[in-house]
Amino acid sequence: MIHSMAGGRLGSYKTADFAKVKIIEGENEGAVTFYTCSHLNLLEGDVVLVSYGGADVEAKVLRIDKNVSSDRSPVPMARAKRIISKL
């Protein structure tokens, strides 16, 4: 609060939906990572196509986190990859 009272601006926050997914095929099978999924209507248990390790592979959605702010995102927003499609 002191920062804003001194004339500074609080950082502008972005929000996005994040899906925690588990890779279910290929050499990286079992790996768990996060992807943005704001453009899709996903549910836990859905199978999706993601880019991982230089290849497009299938993954299972373990969890969906809605409206995650940029200061609380599991991966930096600027580097977060998007889910390619729902299968």
Side-chain angles (χ1 to χ4, degrees):
M1 188 112 152
I2 293 173
H3 178 71
S4 61
M5 290 175 55
R9 288 182 31 214
L10 295 176
S12 60
Y13 296 102
K14 296 179 183 178
T15 61
D17 295 344
F18 279 87
K20 182 179 182 180
V21 304
K22 182 176 183 178
I23 306 301
I24 58 173
E25 71 171 354
E27 62 184 46
N28 294 307
E29 184 175 350
V32 176
T33 189
F34 287 88
Y35 289 84
T36 60
C37 62
S38 300
H39 63 292
L40 298 171
N41 186 19
L42 295 177
L43 300 172
E44 290 180 20
D46 284 346
V47 176
V48 294
L49 187 65
V50 297
S51 178
Y52 190 87
D56 293 345
V57 295
E58 292 182 10
K60 182 177 181 180
V61 176
L62 301 177
R63 183 178 83 211
I64 304 288
D65 297 330
K66 301 276 187 180
N67 296 318
V68 178
S69 67
S70 56
D71 66 331
R72 302 271 186 224
S73 65
V75 294
M77 289 268 193
R79 293 190 342 201
K81 295 181 182 178
R82 297 177 77 180
I83 290 177
I84 297 169
S85 65
K86 181 178 174 179
L87 299 175

